[in-house]
Structures are given as C-alpha cells and as structure tokens.
Amino acid sequence: SYRSLKEIFTVYTGDKRFLYEKLLLSPDAYIRRIVIKNIGEEGFREYAEALIPMLESTDINLLCDVIRTLGQLRCEKAGQRIAAYLQSTNWMVRNAVVTALAAIDAQAYRPLLMEWLKDREWWVRYNTARELCAHLPPDSLAAAVPTLNDRFASEILQFAIQEAQIMGKGAAQA
C-alpha cells in the first residue's frame, strides 16, 4: 500500500538515490508513481532528465505525478512540454500543469497561467489563482483583474489574493 511504501522510504537508511533508480524501472506503475512523488518531495533534481520521457505516459495518474514532480524540481527543460498539456481534456492534468508551471517559473508562464484562470473547471481556476498568488506579487495580480474580461476569472483571482493575504502565505507576504 501507499502508506507502507512511504513508511519504508522514511525509515530506509541506505542510498535512496540507488533505491529510486532501481524502483523507477519497476514494472508496477503504482511503485513507480510513489517513487516519482518521493523524488519531487525530496528534491532530487538529478532525476528530472530521466522523468521527462514519462511525459508521454498514457496513464493519467502517472502523467499527473510526473508533471507535479517536474514542477517541484523546477525543471525548466520540461516546461514547454508540460505546458502543452494545458490542452488536455482531463481537468486533473490541467490542474497539475498550472501547479508545475508556476513552480518552474511563474513570471515566465504568467500570460499562459492568466488565461487558465478562465478554465471551465473550477479547481483549475482556483489552483491557478492560488499558484499565481504564491509566486507573484499580489499588487501586480490585483492590477490585472480588470483586464481578465471574465467574471469567474476575476472573482477567483480576487479571492485567492485575499486568501493569501489573510493566511499570510506566499508572495502576499512580500
């Protein structure tokens, strides 16, 4: 189970890099997914290059994990390939993409992320707004609200700015 493997990884005292290298080759997608998540959580940037080919996966869960992990690793090289998945019909993929792009370089991907405040799926709009607020100055985002020309995009961004300020999180602290 997920919890059992996470516990094993937590108490494992050997070379995790060696272990992860071997487990990434596992025929079991579930094990690979857990390893991919751990690589991101532990910030093992040296694995980013090896994860990029996994962006071709047809397993939606694996794809989302790879996208999230490449974002956590701030893998600029994967940014454009990840951005292409904004066209996915699956909202969970688009949601992973906005999180990853904001982590990789929110300023560089700002125009693209601002457009995804208009996504048809509420979760994508909300997480886009939250990620923008976590990585960019709130004043610049607030100034952009009138330019969105979309009621739902404007509302969600205003909400996220207020939420970040109230919670004292992210760039709102700057």
mmCIF file of all heavy atoms in Angstrom, residues 119-167:
data_model
loop_
_atom_site.group_PDB
_atom_site.id
_atom_site.type_symbol
_atom_site.label_atom_id
_atom_site.label_comp_id
_atom_site.label_asym_id
_atom_site.label_seq_id
_atom_site.Cartn_x
_atom_site.Cartn_y
_atom_site.Cartn_z
ATOM 1 N N ASP A 119 -10.389 28.722 -17.131
ATOM 2 C CA ASP A 119 -10.685 27.314 -17.406
ATOM 3 C C ASP A 119 -12.134 27.001 -17.033
ATOM 4 O O ASP A 119 -12.690 27.586 -16.106
ATOM 5 C CB ASP A 119 -9.744 26.406 -16.616
ATOM 6 C CG ASP A 119 -9.781 24.966 -17.084
ATOM 7 O OD1 ASP A 119 -10.629 24.198 -16.576
ATOM 8 O OD2 ASP A 119 -8.975 24.609 -17.951
ATOM 9 N N ARG A 120 -12.720 26.054 -17.725
ATOM 10 C CA ARG A 120 -14.119 25.681 -17.441
ATOM 11 C C ARG A 120 -14.265 24.946 -16.111
ATOM 12 O O ARG A 120 -15.344 24.897 -15.542
ATOM 13 C CB ARG A 120 -14.682 24.842 -18.585
ATOM 14 C CG ARG A 120 -14.017 23.495 -18.761
ATOM 15 C CD ARG A 120 -14.499 22.786 -20.020
ATOM 16 N NE ARG A 120 -13.666 21.659 -20.339
ATOM 17 C CZ ARG A 120 -12.546 21.717 -21.042
ATOM 18 N NH1 ARG A 120 -12.114 22.862 -21.515
ATOM 19 N NH2 ARG A 120 -11.849 20.631 -21.282
ATOM 20 N N GLU A 121 -13.176 24.391 -15.609
ATOM 21 C CA GLU A 121 -13.214 23.633 -14.349
ATOM 22 C C GLU A 121 -12.783 24.525 -13.178
ATOM 23 O O GLU A 121 -11.706 25.112 -13.187
ATOM 24 C CB GLU A 121 -12.288 22.417 -14.454
ATOM 25 C CG GLU A 121 -12.181 21.592 -13.204
ATOM 26 C CD GLU A 121 -13.506 20.994 -12.762
ATOM 27 O OE1 GLU A 121 -14.266 20.496 -13.627
ATOM 28 O OE2 GLU A 121 -13.785 21.026 -11.551
ATOM 29 N N TRP A 122 -13.653 24.595 -12.164
ATOM 30 C CA TRP A 122 -13.390 25.447 -11.008
ATOM 31 C C TRP A 122 -12.051 25.135 -10.356
ATOM 32 O O TRP A 122 -11.310 26.048 -9.995
ATOM 33 C CB TRP A 122 -14.521 25.287 -9.975
ATOM 34 C CG TRP A 122 -14.352 26.194 -8.800
ATOM 35 C CD1 TRP A 122 -14.782 27.480 -8.699
ATOM 36 C CD2 TRP A 122 -13.678 25.900 -7.563
ATOM 37 N NE1 TRP A 122 -14.436 28.004 -7.473
ATOM 38 C CE2 TRP A 122 -13.757 27.049 -6.756
ATOM 39 C CE3 TRP A 122 -13.026 24.774 -7.069
ATOM 40 C CZ2 TRP A 122 -13.205 27.112 -5.478
ATOM 41 C CZ3 TRP A 122 -12.472 24.838 -5.797
ATOM 42 C CH2 TRP A 122 -12.564 25.994 -5.019
ATOM 43 N N TRP A 123 -11.706 23.865 -10.157
ATOM 44 C CA TRP A 123 -10.451 23.506 -9.486
ATOM 45 C C TRP A 123 -9.236 24.029 -10.228
ATOM 46 O O TRP A 123 -8.249 24.448 -9.612
ATOM 47 C CB TRP A 123 -10.335 21.990 -9.302
ATOM 48 C CG TRP A 123 -11.123 21.497 -8.146
ATOM 49 C CD1 TRP A 123 -12.265 20.749 -8.186
ATOM 50 C CD2 TRP A 123 -10.860 21.735 -6.761
ATOM 51 N NE1 TRP A 123 -12.718 20.511 -6.914
ATOM 52 C CE2 TRP A 123 -11.873 21.103 -6.013
ATOM 53 C CE3 TRP A 123 -9.864 22.419 -6.073
ATOM 54 C CZ2 TRP A 123 -11.912 21.131 -4.633
ATOM 55 C CZ3 TRP A 123 -9.909 22.443 -4.682
ATOM 56 C CH2 TRP A 123 -10.909 21.812 -3.989
ATOM 57 N N VAL A 124 -9.277 24.010 -11.537
ATOM 58 C CA VAL A 124 -8.147 24.524 -12.320
ATOM 59 C C VAL A 124 -8.047 26.035 -12.127
ATOM 60 O O VAL A 124 -6.951 26.567 -11.901
ATOM 61 C CB VAL A 124 -8.283 24.150 -13.815
ATOM 62 C CG1 VAL A 124 -7.154 24.763 -14.634
ATOM 63 C CG2 VAL A 124 -8.315 22.636 -13.983
ATOM 64 N N ARG A 125 -9.179 26.732 -12.191
ATOM 65 C CA ARG A 125 -9.167 28.187 -11.978
ATOM 66 C C ARG A 125 -8.639 28.518 -10.580
ATOM 67 O O ARG A 125 -7.775 29.385 -10.414
ATOM 68 C CB ARG A 125 -10.577 28.775 -12.136
ATOM 69 C CG ARG A 125 -11.121 28.722 -13.537
ATOM 70 C CD ARG A 125 -12.381 29.567 -13.712
ATOM 71 N NE ARG A 125 -13.428 29.312 -12.738
ATOM 72 C CZ ARG A 125 -14.415 28.434 -12.890
ATOM 73 N NH1 ARG A 125 -14.477 27.683 -13.986
ATOM 74 N NH2 ARG A 125 -15.341 28.305 -11.959
ATOM 75 N N TYR A 126 -9.162 27.819 -9.587
ATOM 76 C CA TYR A 126 -8.772 28.089 -8.204
ATOM 77 C C TYR A 126 -7.282 27.838 -7.973
ATOM 78 O O TYR A 126 -6.578 28.676 -7.396
ATOM 79 C CB TYR A 126 -9.615 27.235 -7.248
ATOM 80 C CG TYR A 126 -9.216 27.361 -5.804
ATOM 81 C CD1 TYR A 126 -9.351 28.572 -5.125
ATOM 82 C CD2 TYR A 126 -8.708 26.274 -5.105
ATOM 83 C CE1 TYR A 126 -8.999 28.687 -3.789
ATOM 84 C CE2 TYR A 126 -8.348 26.386 -3.775
ATOM 85 C CZ TYR A 126 -8.499 27.590 -3.122
ATOM 86 O OH TYR A 126 -8.127 27.705 -1.798
ATOM 87 N N ASN A 127 -6.790 26.696 -8.421
ATOM 88 C CA ASN A 127 -5.370 26.386 -8.202
ATOM 89 C C ASN A 127 -4.454 27.267 -9.035
ATOM 90 O O ASN A 127 -3.346 27.590 -8.594
ATOM 91 C CB ASN A 127 -5.106 24.899 -8.430
ATOM 92 C CG ASN A 127 -5.621 24.083 -7.254
ATOM 93 O OD1 ASN A 127 -5.443 24.460 -6.108
ATOM 94 N ND2 ASN A 127 -6.291 22.986 -7.542
ATOM 95 N N THR A 128 -4.906 27.694 -10.192
ATOM 96 C CA THR A 128 -4.115 28.657 -10.968
ATOM 97 C C THR A 128 -3.982 29.949 -10.175
ATOM 98 O O THR A 128 -2.875 30.489 -10.034
ATOM 99 C CB THR A 128 -4.773 28.935 -12.335
ATOM 100 O OG1 THR A 128 -4.875 27.717 -13.070
ATOM 101 C CG2 THR A 128 -3.963 29.943 -13.133
ATOM 102 N N ALA A 129 -5.087 30.435 -9.651
ATOM 103 C CA ALA A 129 -5.068 31.677 -8.870
ATOM 104 C C ALA A 129 -4.188 31.530 -7.624
ATOM 105 O O ALA A 129 -3.382 32.418 -7.322
ATOM 106 C CB ALA A 129 -6.496 32.061 -8.478
ATOM 107 N N ARG A 130 -4.330 30.416 -6.932
ATOM 108 C CA ARG A 130 -3.512 30.194 -5.727
ATOM 109 C C ARG A 130 -2.021 30.145 -6.058
ATOM 110 O O ARG A 130 -1.197 30.697 -5.329
ATOM 111 C CB ARG A 130 -3.919 28.899 -5.033
ATOM 112 C CG ARG A 130 -5.257 29.025 -4.319
ATOM 113 C CD ARG A 130 -5.569 27.809 -3.505
ATOM 114 N NE ARG A 130 -4.704 27.834 -2.324
ATOM 115 C CZ ARG A 130 -4.379 26.763 -1.635
ATOM 116 N NH1 ARG A 130 -4.817 25.582 -1.977
ATOM 117 N NH2 ARG A 130 -3.599 26.844 -0.582
ATOM 118 N N GLU A 131 -1.678 29.468 -7.142
ATOM 119 C CA GLU A 131 -0.267 29.371 -7.531
ATOM 120 C C GLU A 131 0.285 30.724 -7.955
ATOM 121 O O GLU A 131 1.419 31.064 -7.628
ATOM 122 C CB GLU A 131 -0.090 28.336 -8.646
ATOM 123 C CG GLU A 131 -0.324 26.906 -8.200
ATOM 124 C CD GLU A 131 0.640 26.434 -7.121
ATOM 125 O OE1 GLU A 131 1.815 26.859 -7.112
ATOM 126 O OE2 GLU A 131 0.225 25.629 -6.267
ATOM 127 N N LEU A 132 -0.508 31.492 -8.687
ATOM 128 C CA LEU A 132 -0.062 32.837 -9.058
ATOM 129 C C LEU A 132 0.208 33.661 -7.807
ATOM 130 O O LEU A 132 1.238 34.338 -7.708
ATOM 131 C CB LEU A 132 -1.104 33.520 -9.944
ATOM 132 C CG LEU A 132 -1.155 33.048 -11.399
ATOM 133 C CD1 LEU A 132 -2.439 33.529 -12.075
ATOM 134 C CD2 LEU A 132 0.074 33.516 -12.168
ATOM 135 N N CYS A 133 -0.697 33.589 -6.842
ATOM 136 C CA CYS A 133 -0.533 34.341 -5.590
ATOM 137 C C CYS A 133 0.662 33.860 -4.765
ATOM 138 O O CYS A 133 1.281 34.644 -4.053
ATOM 139 C CB CYS A 133 -1.800 34.254 -4.756
ATOM 140 S SG CYS A 133 -3.163 35.200 -5.454
ATOM 141 N N ALA A 134 0.964 32.594 -4.873
ATOM 142 C CA ALA A 134 2.093 32.046 -4.112
ATOM 143 C C ALA A 134 3.438 32.471 -4.696
ATOM 144 O O ALA A 134 4.445 32.482 -3.989
ATOM 145 C CB ALA A 134 2.009 30.517 -4.077
ATOM 146 N N HIS A 135 3.447 32.824 -5.983
ATOM 147 C CA HIS A 135 4.725 33.075 -6.653
ATOM 148 C C HIS A 135 4.925 34.496 -7.166
ATOM 149 O O HIS A 135 6.045 34.853 -7.527
ATOM 150 C CB HIS A 135 4.898 32.101 -7.819
ATOM 151 C CG HIS A 135 4.973 30.672 -7.405
ATOM 152 N ND1 HIS A 135 6.107 30.102 -6.873
ATOM 153 C CD2 HIS A 135 4.046 29.680 -7.414
ATOM 154 C CE1 HIS A 135 5.883 28.827 -6.586
ATOM 155 N NE2 HIS A 135 4.636 28.554 -6.901
ATOM 156 N N LEU A 136 3.862 35.277 -7.230
ATOM 157 C CA LEU A 136 3.978 36.626 -7.800
ATOM 158 C C LEU A 136 3.432 37.665 -6.824
ATOM 159 O O LEU A 136 2.563 37.363 -6.007
ATOM 160 C CB LEU A 136 3.217 36.697 -9.126
ATOM 161 C CG LEU A 136 3.725 35.765 -10.231
ATOM 162 C CD1 LEU A 136 2.797 35.811 -11.441
ATOM 163 C CD2 LEU A 136 5.145 36.112 -10.629
ATOM 164 N N PRO A 137 3.903 38.902 -6.936
ATOM 165 C CA PRO A 137 3.436 39.952 -6.027
ATOM 166 C C PRO A 137 1.933 40.211 -6.189
ATOM 167 O O PRO A 137 1.435 40.334 -7.312
ATOM 168 C CB PRO A 137 4.234 41.189 -6.447
ATOM 169 C CG PRO A 137 5.382 40.667 -7.245
ATOM 170 C CD PRO A 137 4.943 39.368 -7.843
ATOM 171 N N PRO A 138 1.212 40.287 -5.079
ATOM 172 C CA PRO A 138 -0.240 40.459 -5.151
ATOM 173 C C PRO A 138 -0.679 41.756 -5.828
ATOM 174 O O PRO A 138 -1.715 41.792 -6.483
ATOM 175 C CB PRO A 138 -0.677 40.414 -3.686
ATOM 176 C CG PRO A 138 0.548 40.694 -2.898
ATOM 177 C CD PRO A 138 1.705 40.225 -3.712
ATOM 178 N N ASP A 139 0.120 42.814 -5.698
ATOM 179 C CA ASP A 139 -0.261 44.083 -6.327
ATOM 180 C C ASP A 139 -0.306 43.964 -7.842
ATOM 181 O O ASP A 139 -1.203 44.502 -8.491
ATOM 182 C CB ASP A 139 0.711 45.205 -5.923
ATOM 183 C CG ASP A 139 0.615 45.555 -4.442
ATOM 184 O OD1 ASP A 139 -0.398 45.178 -3.804
ATOM 185 O OD2 ASP A 139 1.549 46.187 -3.925
ATOM 186 N N SER A 140 0.662 43.247 -8.404
ATOM 187 C CA SER A 140 0.669 43.089 -9.872
ATOM 188 C C SER A 140 -0.497 42.222 -10.325
ATOM 189 O O SER A 140 -1.064 42.441 -11.395
ATOM 190 C CB SER A 140 1.994 42.514 -10.354
ATOM 191 O OG SER A 140 2.129 41.160 -9.967
ATOM 192 N N LEU A 141 -0.873 41.252 -9.502
ATOM 193 C CA LEU A 141 -2.018 40.405 -9.850
ATOM 194 C C LEU A 141 -3.321 41.180 -9.706
ATOM 195 O O LEU A 141 -4.206 41.069 -10.557
ATOM 196 C CB LEU A 141 -2.035 39.158 -8.969
ATOM 197 C CG LEU A 141 -0.871 38.192 -9.185
ATOM 198 C CD1 LEU A 141 -0.880 37.110 -8.117
ATOM 199 C CD2 LEU A 141 -0.927 37.593 -10.580
ATOM 200 N N ALA A 142 -3.435 41.970 -8.651
ATOM 201 C CA ALA A 142 -4.643 42.769 -8.445
ATOM 202 C C ALA A 142 -4.832 43.752 -9.597
ATOM 203 O O ALA A 142 -5.964 43.979 -10.048
ATOM 204 C CB ALA A 142 -4.572 43.505 -7.108
ATOM 205 N N ALA A 143 -3.742 44.298 -10.087
ATOM 206 C CA ALA A 143 -3.824 45.234 -11.207
ATOM 207 C C ALA A 143 -4.312 44.551 -12.483
ATOM 208 O O ALA A 143 -4.878 45.199 -13.363
ATOM 209 C CB ALA A 143 -2.458 45.882 -11.437
ATOM 210 N N ALA A 144 -4.107 43.259 -12.580
ATOM 211 C CA ALA A 144 -4.502 42.519 -13.779
ATOM 212 C C ALA A 144 -5.970 42.107 -13.769
ATOM 213 O O ALA A 144 -6.521 41.760 -14.821
ATOM 214 C CB ALA A 144 -3.620 41.280 -13.940
ATOM 215 N N VAL A 145 -6.611 42.146 -12.621
ATOM 216 C CA VAL A 145 -8.001 41.679 -12.513
ATOM 217 C C VAL A 145 -8.924 42.348 -13.533
ATOM 218 O O VAL A 145 -9.668 41.660 -14.232
ATOM 219 C CB VAL A 145 -8.538 41.828 -11.064
ATOM 220 C CG1 VAL A 145 -10.039 41.602 -11.005
ATOM 221 C CG2 VAL A 145 -7.804 40.860 -10.135
ATOM 222 N N PRO A 146 -8.898 43.680 -13.673
ATOM 223 C CA PRO A 146 -9.822 44.311 -14.633
ATOM 224 C C PRO A 146 -9.566 43.926 -16.097
ATOM 225 O O PRO A 146 -10.444 44.067 -16.939
ATOM 226 C CB PRO A 146 -9.587 45.814 -14.441
ATOM 227 C CG PRO A 146 -8.869 45.960 -13.158
ATOM 228 C CD PRO A 146 -8.140 44.673 -12.921
ATOM 229 N N THR A 147 -8.391 43.420 -16.375
ATOM 230 C CA THR A 147 -8.048 43.073 -17.763
ATOM 231 C C THR A 147 -8.470 41.661 -18.147
ATOM 232 O O THR A 147 -8.326 41.271 -19.307
ATOM 233 C CB THR A 147 -6.533 43.210 -18.003
ATOM 234 O OG1 THR A 147 -5.848 42.199 -17.251
ATOM 235 C CG2 THR A 147 -6.025 44.587 -17.613
ATOM 236 N N LEU A 148 -8.961 40.895 -17.199
ATOM 237 C CA LEU A 148 -9.281 39.491 -17.464
ATOM 238 C C LEU A 148 -10.515 39.311 -18.348
ATOM 239 O O LEU A 148 -10.638 38.311 -19.043
ATOM 240 C CB LEU A 148 -9.449 38.721 -16.155
ATOM 241 C CG LEU A 148 -8.166 38.521 -15.359
ATOM 242 C CD1 LEU A 148 -8.473 37.943 -13.986
ATOM 243 C CD2 LEU A 148 -7.209 37.617 -16.122
ATOM 244 N N ASN A 149 -11.441 40.257 -18.297
ATOM 245 C CA ASN A 149 -12.660 40.191 -19.119
ATOM 246 C C ASN A 149 -13.416 38.878 -18.944
ATOM 247 O O ASN A 149 -13.954 38.325 -19.903
ATOM 248 C CB ASN A 149 -12.333 40.425 -20.603
ATOM 249 C CG ASN A 149 -11.720 41.784 -20.823
ATOM 250 O OD1 ASN A 149 -12.155 42.770 -20.232
ATOM 251 N ND2 ASN A 149 -10.688 41.840 -21.651
ATOM 252 N N ASP A 150 -13.405 38.378 -17.734
ATOM 253 C CA ASP A 150 -14.118 37.140 -17.426
ATOM 254 C C ASP A 150 -14.498 37.215 -15.953
ATOM 255 O O ASP A 150 -13.622 37.293 -15.094
ATOM 256 C CB ASP A 150 -13.218 35.931 -17.707
ATOM 257 C CG ASP A 150 -13.905 34.610 -17.419
ATOM 258 O OD1 ASP A 150 -14.056 34.273 -16.222
ATOM 259 O OD2 ASP A 150 -14.271 33.911 -18.377
ATOM 260 N N ARG A 151 -15.785 37.211 -15.680
ATOM 261 C CA ARG A 151 -16.261 37.377 -14.310
ATOM 262 C C ARG A 151 -15.697 36.323 -13.368
ATOM 263 O O ARG A 151 -15.241 36.619 -12.264
ATOM 264 C CB ARG A 151 -17.788 37.333 -14.291
ATOM 265 C CG ARG A 151 -18.363 37.626 -12.924
ATOM 266 C CD ARG A 151 -19.863 37.504 -12.907
ATOM 267 N NE ARG A 151 -20.165 36.303 -12.131
ATOM 268 C CZ ARG A 151 -21.245 35.583 -12.242
ATOM 269 N NH1 ARG A 151 -22.156 35.894 -13.114
ATOM 270 N NH2 ARG A 151 -21.426 34.535 -11.482
ATOM 271 N N PHE A 152 -15.711 35.053 -13.804
ATOM 272 C CA PHE A 152 -15.256 33.968 -12.935
ATOM 273 C C PHE A 152 -13.749 34.036 -12.694
ATOM 274 O O PHE A 152 -13.276 33.778 -11.585
ATOM 275 C CB PHE A 152 -15.661 32.614 -13.513
ATOM 276 C CG PHE A 152 -17.149 32.459 -13.633
ATOM 277 C CD1 PHE A 152 -17.755 32.376 -14.876
ATOM 278 C CD2 PHE A 152 -17.953 32.420 -12.500
ATOM 279 C CE1 PHE A 152 -19.128 32.253 -14.986
ATOM 280 C CE2 PHE A 152 -19.326 32.293 -12.595
ATOM 281 C CZ PHE A 152 -19.919 32.215 -13.841
ATOM 282 N N ALA A 153 -12.999 34.395 -13.721
ATOM 283 C CA ALA A 153 -11.549 34.546 -13.568
ATOM 284 C C ALA A 153 -11.234 35.682 -12.601
ATOM 285 O O ALA A 153 -10.377 35.541 -11.719
ATOM 286 C CB ALA A 153 -10.894 34.788 -14.924
ATOM 287 N N SER A 154 -11.927 36.796 -12.751
ATOM 288 C CA SER A 154 -11.711 37.942 -11.865
ATOM 289 C C SER A 154 -12.044 37.589 -10.417
ATOM 290 O O SER A 154 -11.279 37.905 -9.500
ATOM 291 C CB SER A 154 -12.576 39.128 -12.309
ATOM 292 O OG SER A 154 -12.214 39.547 -13.598
ATOM 293 N N GLU A 155 -13.174 36.930 -10.228
ATOM 294 C CA GLU A 155 -13.592 36.574 -8.868
ATOM 295 C C GLU A 155 -12.615 35.613 -8.206
ATOM 296 O O GLU A 155 -12.273 35.784 -7.035
ATOM 297 C CB GLU A 155 -14.990 35.948 -8.897
ATOM 298 C CG GLU A 155 -16.095 36.947 -9.146
ATOM 299 C CD GLU A 155 -17.465 36.293 -9.294
ATOM 300 O OE1 GLU A 155 -17.569 35.042 -9.208
ATOM 301 O OE2 GLU A 155 -18.435 37.035 -9.494
ATOM 302 N N ILE A 156 -12.169 34.617 -8.946
ATOM 303 C CA ILE A 156 -11.288 33.619 -8.333
ATOM 304 C C ILE A 156 -9.920 34.224 -8.009
ATOM 305 O O ILE A 156 -9.324 33.907 -6.974
ATOM 306 C CB ILE A 156 -11.171 32.326 -9.198
ATOM 307 C CG1 ILE A 156 -10.726 31.139 -8.336
ATOM 308 C CG2 ILE A 156 -10.221 32.503 -10.362
ATOM 309 C CD1 ILE A 156 -11.758 30.594 -7.425
ATOM 310 N N LEU A 157 -9.438 35.115 -8.868
ATOM 311 C CA LEU A 157 -8.149 35.744 -8.589
ATOM 312 C C LEU A 157 -8.265 36.696 -7.401
ATOM 313 O O LEU A 157 -7.397 36.690 -6.521
ATOM 314 C CB LEU A 157 -7.610 36.469 -9.816
ATOM 315 C CG LEU A 157 -6.209 37.062 -9.662
ATOM 316 C CD1 LEU A 157 -5.192 36.004 -9.226
ATOM 317 C CD2 LEU A 157 -5.765 37.718 -10.969
ATOM 318 N N GLN A 158 -9.336 37.469 -7.337
ATOM 319 C CA GLN A 158 -9.534 38.355 -6.183
ATOM 320 C C GLN A 158 -9.634 37.541 -4.892
ATOM 321 O O GLN A 158 -9.057 37.911 -3.869
ATOM 322 C CB GLN A 158 -10.805 39.199 -6.367
ATOM 323 C CG GLN A 158 -10.641 40.295 -7.387
ATOM 324 C CD GLN A 158 -11.946 41.007 -7.670
ATOM 325 O OE1 GLN A 158 -13.020 40.406 -7.697
ATOM 326 N NE2 GLN A 158 -11.846 42.310 -7.892
ATOM 327 N N PHE A 159 -10.371 36.446 -4.949
ATOM 328 C CA PHE A 159 -10.498 35.574 -3.783
ATOM 329 C C PHE A 159 -9.141 35.041 -3.350
ATOM 330 O O PHE A 159 -8.803 35.056 -2.158
ATOM 331 C CB PHE A 159 -11.462 34.412 -4.085
ATOM 332 C CG PHE A 159 -11.519 33.403 -2.979
ATOM 333 C CD1 PHE A 159 -12.289 33.634 -1.852
ATOM 334 C CD2 PHE A 159 -10.785 32.226 -3.056
ATOM 335 C CE1 PHE A 159 -12.335 32.702 -0.814
ATOM 336 C CE2 PHE A 159 -10.823 31.293 -2.030
ATOM 337 C CZ PHE A 159 -11.598 31.537 -0.904
ATOM 338 N N ALA A 160 -8.350 34.547 -4.303
ATOM 339 C CA ALA A 160 -7.040 33.971 -3.974
ATOM 340 C C ALA A 160 -6.087 35.023 -3.396
ATOM 341 O O ALA A 160 -5.317 34.728 -2.482
ATOM 342 C CB ALA A 160 -6.427 33.313 -5.208
ATOM 343 N N ILE A 161 -6.154 36.244 -3.917
ATOM 344 C CA ILE A 161 -5.316 37.319 -3.380
ATOM 345 C C ILE A 161 -5.697 37.586 -1.927
ATOM 346 O O ILE A 161 -4.835 37.666 -1.040
ATOM 347 C CB ILE A 161 -5.446 38.603 -4.236
ATOM 348 C CG1 ILE A 161 -4.809 38.389 -5.616
ATOM 349 C CG2 ILE A 161 -4.801 39.795 -3.523
ATOM 350 C CD1 ILE A 161 -5.152 39.477 -6.629
ATOM 351 N N GLN A 162 -7.001 37.696 -1.667
ATOM 352 C CA GLN A 162 -7.468 37.932 -0.298
ATOM 353 C C GLN A 162 -7.122 36.762 0.616
ATOM 354 O O GLN A 162 -6.683 36.958 1.754
ATOM 355 C CB GLN A 162 -8.973 38.183 -0.294
ATOM 356 C CG GLN A 162 -9.355 39.490 -0.938
ATOM 357 C CD GLN A 162 -10.855 39.624 -1.170
ATOM 358 O OE1 GLN A 162 -11.605 38.671 -1.013
ATOM 359 N NE2 GLN A 162 -11.271 40.819 -1.557
ATOM 360 N N GLU A 163 -7.300 35.550 0.109
ATOM 361 C CA GLU A 163 -6.978 34.360 0.900
ATOM 362 C C GLU A 163 -5.497 34.344 1.269
ATOM 363 O O GLU A 163 -5.134 34.085 2.423
ATOM 364 C CB GLU A 163 -7.334 33.103 0.108
ATOM 365 C CG GLU A 163 -7.001 31.817 0.828
ATOM 366 C CD GLU A 163 -7.238 30.584 -0.025
ATOM 367 O OE1 GLU A 163 -6.815 30.558 -1.199
ATOM 368 O OE2 GLU A 163 -7.837 29.629 0.497
ATOM 369 N N ALA A 164 -4.634 34.632 0.309
ATOM 370 C CA ALA A 164 -3.190 34.635 0.561
ATOM 371 C C ALA A 164 -2.820 35.704 1.581
ATOM 372 O O ALA A 164 -1.987 35.471 2.467
ATOM 373 C CB ALA A 164 -2.430 34.851 -0.742
ATOM 374 N N GLN A 165 -3.454 36.863 1.490
ATOM 375 C CA GLN A 165 -3.155 37.934 2.440
ATOM 376 C C GLN A 165 -3.636 37.572 3.846
ATOM 377 O O GLN A 165 -2.921 37.789 4.823
ATOM 378 C CB GLN A 165 -3.784 39.244 1.964
ATOM 379 C CG GLN A 165 -3.082 39.792 0.738
ATOM 380 C CD GLN A 165 -3.811 40.957 0.092
ATOM 381 O OE1 GLN A 165 -5.018 41.109 0.231
ATOM 382 N NE2 GLN A 165 -3.066 41.762 -0.645
ATOM 383 N N ILE A 166 -4.814 37.004 3.943
ATOM 384 C CA ILE A 166 -5.356 36.618 5.245
ATOM 385 C C ILE A 166 -4.509 35.511 5.875
ATOM 386 O O ILE A 166 -4.203 35.546 7.063
ATOM 387 C CB ILE A 166 -6.824 36.163 5.116
ATOM 388 C CG1 ILE A 166 -7.715 37.368 4.819
ATOM 389 C CG2 ILE A 166 -7.294 35.455 6.390
ATOM 390 C CD1 ILE A 166 -9.125 36.998 4.386
ATOM 391 N N MET A 167 -4.132 34.538 5.055
ATOM 392 C CA MET A 167 -3.369 33.394 5.552
ATOM 393 C C MET A 167 -1.883 33.717 5.694
ATOM 394 O O MET A 167 -1.139 32.925 6.268
ATOM 395 C CB MET A 167 -3.552 32.180 4.626
ATOM 396 C CG MET A 167 -5.004 31.746 4.489
ATOM 397 S SD MET A 167 -5.789 31.313 6.052
ATOM 398 C CE MET A 167 -4.976 29.797 6.408
#
